[in-house]
Structures are given as structure tokens and as C-alpha cells.
Amino acid sequence: MTTLTVERPPVPRRTNGSLPPVPPHRGGGDGPDRDPAPHRPPLDNVRLAMLFLICSEVMFFGGLVSAFLVLRVTAAVWPPPLQPRLPVGVTAVNTLVLLGSSVAMAAALQALRRGDARALVRRLGLAAGLGSVFLLVQGYEWARLVRFGLTLSSDAYGTTFYTLIGAHAVHVLGALVWVAVVALLAARGRFTDGRTGALRACAIYWHFVVALWPALFLAVYLV
Amino acid sequence: MSATSVTAHAHVDHAAHHDLGFVRTYIFSTDHKMIARQFLFLGLSMMIVGGLLALVVRWQLAWPETAVPGLSNILKETDGILEPSTYNMAFTMHATIMIFFVIMPILAGAFGNFCIPLMIGARDMAFPFLNMLSFWVTGSAGVIMLSGFFVEGGHAAAGWTSYAPLSAVPSYTGVNWGQNIWCISLFIMGVGSMMGSINYITTIINMRAPGMRLFRMPLVVWSLFITAILLLLALPVLTSGVAMLLFDRTLGTNWFRPSGGGEPLLWQHLFWYFGHPEVYILILPAMGIASEILPVFCRKPIFGYHAMAFSMIAIAFLSWVVYGHHMFVSGMSPALGMAFTVTTMIIAVPSAIKTFNWLGTMWGARMQFTVPMLNALAFVSMFVIGGLSGIFMASTPVDIYIQDTYFIVAHIHYVVFGGSIFGAFAAIYYWFPKMFGRLTSPFLGHVHFWGTFVFFNLTFFPMHIIGVGGQMRRIYNPMQYEFLQHQQPWNVLITASALCLGLVQIPFVLNFFASLFGWRAGWFRVLAHAVGALVAGATILVFFSSLGYGKVLFGIVGLVVAVVVFAVSRRDTAGCGEKAPLNPWNSNTLEWTAPSPPPHLNWGATIPTVYRGPYEYSSPESKEDFLPQNVPPVGAAGARRH
Ligand code: HEM
Ligand SMILES: [Cu+2]
């Protein structure tokens, strides 16, 4: 029985839930009669999962936006009289800030590919910083609107505005926390061993949250 | 040599499994099979709660405003009599629990987790940690939902559909925190289900074993794949809806409240946009399960494999464009209603394709009437009845008359109980040997199946009749309406059958635990079978005495039945709790190549390679009447040596 120890095959090490490539298999291979061929997926697990997460999020915001459009289209006058107008100019500039953070994130990934750890941390920090600026400006504008009398419960106008923009803000906040954690991990030297799943997932999510904003901006502020 | 290395490897895994300790093995496990068992236990325990609530509802309808037995301690002020508000709460929570915390956890949660990796030849899900999180998030949602029973004002009482403005304004129902908890719980459940579905889809796309092409996947995996896509896209719409509803109730927003410029109909649109895909989420896995079990016990390939897969894809697409059939009388333009009538009729076509393919599979087969097979057959036949009543309601002129009557309730239950729950039972009996490594008792299985089948039909078929006769759904007391009073004997019959339907679940529970713990040849097995027999007898007593016939006579009949049944059972207790062999049903799919129960990471050193489709039964290529997916073709180069 003790000889069994010698024969133990190595226990497969798990990486991100999937296993390292299966060793060449008797009966596998690529020949015509060795039909079963190990396939190589075009998108890895992380990218695929993020893609589906985004589909799901799009449906969530789809629900909110279509509900908003129904209320807006059926309202007699929109925006209702005696309600403050939304700050289109400031928010347009703020949109540019947010788009800038996406550029920073793309640059961070480039640094990752080059293996430049310091640039990676710096650019992640920049993305998080720009994201925070966006949120702070939004918060400031909200506070002003509340002071002018636009609240969640004032009517359908306030309801839709705060719910939609608030839902986006919560997503930005969550994504910011994620970016911050990833930046911290990067600063501690993670992601140098090729296990970059968390970082890549975070980048994809950040791009999504940023890309969502122009659509909401268009629907809520401009139309 | 390779055999020793495999055992050695299995041994390694086994040791690793135990090294994790109790908490990591049984509670916070990342192993897809343990998570599957957790979902199964969650669903079955919630089924008890949901079932008892249904019996409470039924009691009130048969014997209105009399004390419900056993409730005098809970409803102290009224001495066990239901008030209208309690009644509303009971039917609301019955449906909510059954749909979101019984059928979804069992079919999508338990069997999704169990079947997908094992049947596509993966060692685990793509993201095992996320998988664990998905169970615990869903489980917490369940606990939160249950907590609503204990808050001031009672639980949600606006129906499982929670139409606004009834649900949006607390003072309309008198329910305050109950409805909020309902929203919060479903929100959290939505997050958990999203985690699960992302995992399922990624796993199926990326982690199939060599040779497992998409069109070699077992149909149950196809069905779970499509279910996961529907879950992924439909649940977020409900999530956004319940968020808005919660804000209306707590933050004073005006989404659904007309007083502030809101639109109550908006809720119905959001709810049914989710709701119709949701009903296919409930039925698709059961369809897959039936497609899996029928060929095994017909010993024939499934009829029309590709048609089966494509009809499920068609259902998935069509299920987005039919939701208006739930809103025919909500003030919809007749032209639009016409469009929804047509799309709804069209969605019956792929369902019919599936039905005919099941019949084609059975055509000319020498069927083996095992317990899983019986349940699968019940699924097919009951689904046909439910699908046909669906066609009636899809036609607007008919629906204007029968909407909101017991006809709808009959339809729901023929598809959801007759369909999904029979599918779930079929799956439990079929995969139990692999899931828990033990065989179940065929005797208790038969008692459970036949009891369930008979009393299911006695409970739900008469609902068609009283529905057409005009009895509205969700009414508190049918005796208050003169035109319904002559139907009251039907209501009594339905309730008597429902009580018996509940009673015959006892053999199932006994079977489950007696087999699970493998108390073989011991007193427990004898006891389990004796109780099973007694239940069969007692059911007869309960049935006739609640219809008002003499108790003594039927007591004697019941006793005789119990004795006969027990005598039969003595010959048929074999198997119960015995260790399951590798492949007890001689099936082709990959899960039967892993040990029973499969160890952590499922297979030893190598995962199986797939050479063919999953339904090669009675193939001329093989001497036996089955040909597993992983057996290399005869004479192929590189055939396995050991
Ligand atoms: C052939 C396929 C089907 C057709 C044509 C069909 C048609 C319909 C229609 C028209 C209604 C609305 C009736 C009304 O409220 O007046 C309805 C309700 C319903 N259907 Fe189906 N159905 C089909 C299959 C299914 C399946 C497979 C399920 C579930 C697994 C299901 C579950 C339900 C439920 C739960 C309701 C009631 C919802 C409620 O108002 O509470 N149906 N069906
Ligand atoms: Cu529907």
C-alpha cells in the first residue's frame, strides 16, 4: 500500500476555478477517427462571465429606463412646471471626466500587458480618482437640486430622475470600490504571476459603468 | 497499473475532501454537488411551508370561517379562524414560496448544479466560489422571506403578482413591512440567481470535455443552458420592478402611484415581462429532465434530438413576446390583444413539437415503469393538459370570461405542479443514486407516485369546472355569492383531495431519509415501510371522512389497504438504502461514469472523452442495449486499453 504514494499523480492546481490544460489524452487528439478534440474557447471564463453580467445589468437598466420613458411620454407636460431644470452643462463636462477614467483604465491594462507594475498602479489610481470626481460632482448637483425643491417624492419627475441616476451612482460606487481593491492588490505586487482575472474583470466592469452613463445622460437630461 | 493510479488518485481526493473539515465540506462548500444538495434541501424544506399554506387556503374555501385545525395556537385572537387578511397572506405567500423558493431552487439550483458539470464532463463549475455565494445569497433571501411572517401587520397579501397600486400603498392592504420584505427578499434572490446563471452559462460554453460538442450535450443540459439565459435576462427586470415598488412604499417615490404622476399599469408590464419568461424558467428544466429519463427507460434514442434543442431555443425567443396575454383585460387595445393572442398560440407550437417527440420516443418501446419513469410520464401527460388549457386562455374572447377564475388556477397547477413538480420528483428519484450514493425504495416510491398522481388530478381537475362555473380566484368565501353556492361540494372534494395530496408526501420523506442514511435491513426500513403503508390506508380514511361519509366503514377499508400494502412492501423493500452501483439505470450520459457519489473534482486522473450523442440506446454498434458517451467506437485508433 505504501507504494501508492509514489504513484500519486499530482493533484491538479486550480486557477480561477478552471483546471490547467488536461494532459494529452489517449483517444483524444485531432485525427479524423480520433474525433474528440480538446477545444480552446475563444473567450476565457472571466471575459465570458463579465459579458453575461453586463447583459444582466443592461436588462436591469432597461427595466428602469423603459419605466421612465413610459412615465415621461404619458405625462402632459415634461418637465413639470415649477420644477428646477437639470444642470445639463455641468453634467456634460462631468461626462467627459467619466469617459476620461475609462481611458485611464485602458491605459492601465496596457501597462499590465507591458508588465509595468508602477504604471499599472498609477493608472488605476487615476481611473479611480476621475471616477470619484464624477461622483462628487454628481453629489453636489444633487444637493443643489434638492435645495431647489426637486425630491424623490415630489412627483414622477423627481422620482425617475433620482432613481435612475441613483442606480447608476450606486453602480459607479461599487465599481470604484472594486477598482480601489484591485489597485491596492496591484501595489502589493499581485497580478505579476499571470493570474490577472480579477483585474481584467474589474476593467471590463468599469468600462461598462462608464459606457452606461452617456445613454442615461441622453435619456434623462437631454431628451 | 492505471486502475491502481485511479484508485490512488480517488484516495487523494477523498482525503483532501475530508481534510476540509465539517464547515468547508457541508456548509461553505464550493463543490457543485454539495451546493446542489444544499439547494435541494432548501427547496424541499420550503415546500413544506408552501404546502401547509396551501392547505390553509383550501380549508377556508371548503369550510369557510371554521377553525383551521392546528392554527388555534397561532391565530389566537380568532381561535384558528382565518380572517380575510390572513387568507390573502396565505395564498400570496403560498405562490411566492412555491415559485421562487421551491421550484427554482430545486430545478435550476439543485439539478442545474448537479447535472451541468457532471454531464458535460467538467470537474466543477467555472467559478466555484461564486457558486457557493449564489447558494448563500439565495438561502438568505429565503430566510428573509420567511421572516416576513413575524412582522407587525403580517406578510405580503397582494398576491404573488403584487399588482400596484394595491401593493404600492401600505394603507390599502394594511400590510406594511411584509410587502417591503417581499420586495427585499426577491431583490436578493435576483442577485443570487444572476450569480448562478452566469456560472452555468460560462461553464456550459467553456468547460465541456473533449468531444462534448454542443449537439452532443444531453437535453437536460440544453434546457438548463436556456433556462440560465432566461434567468439572466428576465430576473433583472423583476429586480428593477421590486426596487421601484419598494421605493414607492418606503421613500415616497411615484412610480406606480397615480396620485404623484405614476402609472399602476407599469407594474403589470414590468412584472409580466419578467413573468412569462419566468414560467418557462420553471418548466424548461423539467422538460429537459423528461427528455433525459424517457429514452433511458424506453431503451430507445430520443425522437428528434435536434428538434428538441431547437424547440427550446424557439420557446426562449418567443417567451419575450407573449407576456401581454396576462393583461388582456387590463385595458389593452384590442389590436394589441390580437397580436398577443397570435404570439401565444405560436408559442404552443414548439411545446407541441416537444410533446410529439416524447410520444415518438415512447412509440413502440418496451417501457420500464420505474418510479422516475412514472413521474416523467406524469410530467408529459399533465403538461399536455396544462398546455391545452393555456390555448383556451390565449384566445382573448374566451379569456375575458375565464380570466381571474379557478380555470386559471387549474392551468397554473397543471403546468407547475403537474409539470415542474413531477419533473422534480422524476429527477430526484432518477439521480438520487448518484447524488447520495444510495438506492431508494421502489415500494415507497410507488406509493408516493400513485398517491400524488391520483390526488393531484382530483385536486386540480375540478378547478376547471368551478372556474368555468364562475368561481373567482383569490376570493375569501365562495359561500358569500349565491351563484357559487351550488358548487360548494366541488370545493369540499378539492380540499379533501388536497389534504390527501399532502399526506402522501410522507412516504416520499420517509423514502428520502431511509435511503439517505442507508439504514439497511434494520428496524428503520421496516418502520419506514409500515408507516408508508399506514399513510396509504389513512389517506382513504381522510378522503372519505372529509367528504362526510361514515368514518368507521372507511376506517376499516383503510386498515385493510394498509395491511395489504404492507404485505406487498415486505417483498419489495430491497434496494432501499443500499449502496448504489456506478450506473444503476444503464444510462449513457457522463455522470454515470463517475463514482456514486462522485468525489470532489468528479473523476480520477482524467476526465472522460466523448465520442457520441447521449441517447444511443439499443444501438446495433453495441452488444448491450446502451452505449455510453465515453466508450470509444469499436476499432477506433487510440481506443482505451484498460
Ligand atoms: C402552451 C403553453 C401555454 C400557454 C398558451 C399559456 C397561456 C396562458 C395564459 C393566456 C395565461 C393568462 C390567463 C389569465 O390570467 O387570464 C396564463 C397564465 C399562467 N400560466 Fe400559462 N400558458 C402556457 C404554458 C405555461 C407554462 C409552461 C407555465 C409554467 C410552468 C405556465 C404558468 C402560468 C401561470 C403561473 C399563470 C398565471 C399567472 C397569474 O395570473 O398568477 N403557463 N397562461
Ligand atoms: Cu404567460
mmCIF file of all heavy atoms in Angstrom, chain B residues 33 35 60 155 159 240 254 257 281 367 376 389 392 437 441 444 451 505 555:
data_model
loop_
_atom_site.group_PDB
_atom_site.id
_atom_site.type_symbol
_atom_site.label_atom_id
_atom_site.label_comp_id
_atom_site.label_asym_id
_atom_site.label_seq_id
_atom_site.Cartn_x
_atom_site.Cartn_y
_atom_site.Cartn_z
ATOM 1 N N LYS B 33 -21.555 19.597 -6.246
ATOM 2 C CA LYS B 33 -22.511 18.568 -5.823
ATOM 3 C C LYS B 33 -23.058 18.864 -4.434
ATOM 4 O O LYS B 33 -24.235 18.629 -4.162
ATOM 5 C CB LYS B 33 -21.832 17.200 -5.842
ATOM 6 C CG LYS B 33 -21.344 16.830 -7.223
ATOM 7 C CD LYS B 33 -20.479 15.605 -7.215
ATOM 8 C CE LYS B 33 -19.175 15.812 -6.479
ATOM 9 N NZ LYS B 33 -18.254 16.729 -7.147
ATOM 10 N N ILE B 35 -23.320 21.893 -3.213
ATOM 11 C CA ILE B 35 -24.210 23.044 -3.391
ATOM 12 C C ILE B 35 -25.551 22.567 -3.951
ATOM 13 O O ILE B 35 -26.615 23.050 -3.557
ATOM 14 C CB ILE B 35 -23.537 24.084 -4.302
ATOM 15 C CG1 ILE B 35 -22.297 24.624 -3.596
ATOM 16 C CG2 ILE B 35 -24.480 25.210 -4.657
ATOM 17 C CD1 ILE B 35 -21.415 25.484 -4.451
ATOM 18 N N GLN B 60 -60.140 26.988 4.173
ATOM 19 C CA GLN B 60 -61.051 28.123 4.191
ATOM 20 C C GLN B 60 -62.067 28.037 3.043
ATOM 21 O O GLN B 60 -63.227 28.386 3.205
ATOM 22 C CB GLN B 60 -60.230 29.416 4.110
ATOM 23 C CG GLN B 60 -60.989 30.665 3.733
ATOM 24 C CD GLN B 60 -61.988 31.074 4.807
ATOM 25 O OE1 GLN B 60 -61.857 30.689 5.973
ATOM 26 N NE2 GLN B 60 -62.994 31.850 4.414
ATOM 27 N N HIS B 155 -47.548 39.314 6.618
ATOM 28 C CA HIS B 155 -46.740 39.237 5.409
ATOM 29 C C HIS B 155 -47.508 39.829 4.232
ATOM 30 O O HIS B 155 -48.683 40.146 4.338
ATOM 31 C CB HIS B 155 -46.374 37.774 5.133
ATOM 32 C CG HIS B 155 -45.013 37.638 4.503
ATOM 33 N ND1 HIS B 155 -44.574 38.483 3.532
ATOM 34 C CD2 HIS B 155 -44.002 36.763 4.728
ATOM 35 C CE1 HIS B 155 -43.347 38.134 3.174
ATOM 36 N NE2 HIS B 155 -42.970 37.094 3.883
ATOM 37 N N GLY B 159 -51.120 39.143 -3.438
ATOM 38 C CA GLY B 159 -50.955 38.147 -4.498
ATOM 39 C C GLY B 159 -49.503 38.043 -4.917
ATOM 40 O O GLY B 159 -48.718 38.973 -4.705
ATOM 41 N N SER B 240 -35.573 45.244 -11.014
ATOM 42 C CA SER B 240 -35.802 46.681 -11.124
ATOM 43 C C SER B 240 -37.223 47.008 -10.670
ATOM 44 O O SER B 240 -37.446 48.002 -9.980
ATOM 45 C CB SER B 240 -35.553 47.162 -12.556
ATOM 46 O OG SER B 240 -36.541 46.672 -13.430
ATOM 47 N N ASN B 254 -42.946 57.879 -6.900
ATOM 48 C CA ASN B 254 -44.260 57.826 -7.570
ATOM 49 C C ASN B 254 -44.270 56.967 -8.810
ATOM 50 O O ASN B 254 -44.914 57.289 -9.789
ATOM 51 C CB ASN B 254 -44.683 59.246 -7.962
ATOM 52 C CG ASN B 254 -44.859 60.101 -6.751
ATOM 53 O OD1 ASN B 254 -45.662 59.808 -5.886
ATOM 54 N ND2 ASN B 254 -44.054 61.151 -6.667
ATOM 55 N N ARG B 257 -47.804 55.068 -8.328
ATOM 56 C CA ARG B 257 -48.921 55.707 -7.628
ATOM 57 C C ARG B 257 -49.463 56.846 -8.460
ATOM 58 O O ARG B 257 -48.794 57.857 -8.664
ATOM 59 C CB ARG B 257 -48.457 56.200 -6.269
ATOM 60 C CG ARG B 257 -48.156 55.025 -5.343
ATOM 61 C CD ARG B 257 -47.937 55.489 -3.951
ATOM 62 N NE ARG B 257 -46.913 56.532 -3.924
ATOM 63 C CZ ARG B 257 -46.599 57.201 -2.842
ATOM 64 N NH1 ARG B 257 -47.227 56.965 -1.723
ATOM 65 N NH2 ARG B 257 -45.657 58.110 -2.886
ATOM 66 N N ILE B 281 -38.906 29.409 -17.262
ATOM 67 C CA ILE B 281 -37.800 29.045 -16.375
ATOM 68 C C ILE B 281 -38.237 27.881 -15.489
ATOM 69 O O ILE B 281 -37.468 26.974 -15.190
ATOM 70 C CB ILE B 281 -37.384 30.265 -15.528
ATOM 71 C CG1 ILE B 281 -36.689 31.302 -16.407
ATOM 72 C CG2 ILE B 281 -36.479 29.845 -14.373
ATOM 73 C CD1 ILE B 281 -36.516 32.643 -15.761
ATOM 74 N N MET B 367 -41.366 -0.219 -22.429
ATOM 75 C CA MET B 367 -41.028 0.705 -21.346
ATOM 76 C C MET B 367 -40.806 -0.018 -20.032
ATOM 77 O O MET B 367 -41.439 -1.028 -19.751
ATOM 78 C CB MET B 367 -42.155 1.709 -21.181
ATOM 79 C CG MET B 367 -42.240 2.693 -22.295
ATOM 80 S SD MET B 367 -43.350 4.010 -21.845
ATOM 81 C CE MET B 367 -44.637 3.752 -23.014
ATOM 82 N N ALA B 376 -41.890 10.866 -14.903
ATOM 83 C CA ALA B 376 -41.661 11.544 -16.178
ATOM 84 C C ALA B 376 -42.897 11.416 -17.071
ATOM 85 O O ALA B 376 -43.270 12.371 -17.766
ATOM 86 C CB ALA B 376 -40.434 10.963 -16.878
ATOM 87 N N SER B 389 -55.108 23.892 -21.759
ATOM 88 C CA SER B 389 -55.927 24.943 -21.150
ATOM 89 C C SER B 389 -55.307 26.305 -21.427
ATOM 90 O O SER B 389 -56.016 27.311 -21.520
ATOM 91 C CB SER B 389 -56.117 24.703 -19.649
ATOM 92 O OG SER B 389 -54.891 24.670 -18.983
ATOM 93 N N PHE B 392 -56.786 27.769 -24.554
ATOM 94 C CA PHE B 392 -58.097 28.394 -24.341
ATOM 95 C C PHE B 392 -57.922 29.841 -23.899
ATOM 96 O O PHE B 392 -58.520 30.759 -24.437
ATOM 97 C CB PHE B 392 -58.873 27.659 -23.247
ATOM 98 C CG PHE B 392 -59.450 26.346 -23.672
ATOM 99 C CD1 PHE B 392 -58.711 25.194 -23.589
ATOM 100 C CD2 PHE B 392 -60.742 26.284 -24.150
ATOM 101 C CE1 PHE B 392 -59.246 23.987 -23.977
ATOM 102 C CE2 PHE B 392 -61.287 25.082 -24.545
ATOM 103 C CZ PHE B 392 -60.536 23.923 -24.457
ATOM 104 N N GLY B 437 -25.451 8.368 -3.476
ATOM 105 C CA GLY B 437 -24.776 7.075 -3.441
ATOM 106 C C GLY B 437 -25.604 5.946 -2.864
ATOM 107 O O GLY B 437 -25.066 4.912 -2.490
ATOM 108 N N SER B 441 -36.187 3.220 -2.172
ATOM 109 C CA SER B 441 -37.116 2.091 -2.125
ATOM 110 C C SER B 441 -38.148 2.211 -3.231
ATOM 111 O O SER B 441 -38.902 3.188 -3.263
ATOM 112 C CB SER B 441 -37.810 2.075 -0.762
ATOM 113 O OG SER B 441 -39.076 1.465 -0.893
ATOM 114 N N LEU B 444 -41.863 2.448 -1.629
ATOM 115 C CA LEU B 444 -42.313 3.755 -1.146
ATOM 116 C C LEU B 444 -42.465 4.719 -2.321
ATOM 117 O O LEU B 444 -43.356 5.569 -2.333
ATOM 118 C CB LEU B 444 -41.326 4.298 -0.113
ATOM 119 C CG LEU B 444 -41.366 3.595 1.245
ATOM 120 C CD1 LEU B 444 -40.251 4.095 2.145
ATOM 121 C CD2 LEU B 444 -42.708 3.812 1.921
ATOM 122 N N GLY B 451 -50.187 7.862 -5.249
ATOM 123 C CA GLY B 451 -50.964 8.765 -4.398
ATOM 124 C C GLY B 451 -50.936 10.177 -4.946
ATOM 125 O O GLY B 451 -51.976 10.847 -5.083
ATOM 126 N N GLN B 505 -47.256 12.755 0.678
ATOM 127 C CA GLN B 505 -45.851 13.148 0.580
ATOM 128 C C GLN B 505 -45.032 12.530 1.708
ATOM 129 O O GLN B 505 -43.800 12.540 1.676
ATOM 130 C CB GLN B 505 -45.691 14.678 0.588
ATOM 131 C CG GLN B 505 -46.483 15.399 -0.493
ATOM 132 C CD GLN B 505 -46.290 14.810 -1.864
ATOM 133 O OE1 GLN B 505 -45.171 14.615 -2.322
ATOM 134 N NE2 GLN B 505 -47.407 14.475 -2.524
ATOM 135 N N GLY B 555 -62.637 3.651 7.736
ATOM 136 C CA GLY B 555 -61.508 3.321 8.599
ATOM 137 C C GLY B 555 -61.126 1.859 8.408
ATOM 138 O O GLY B 555 -59.947 1.524 8.299
#
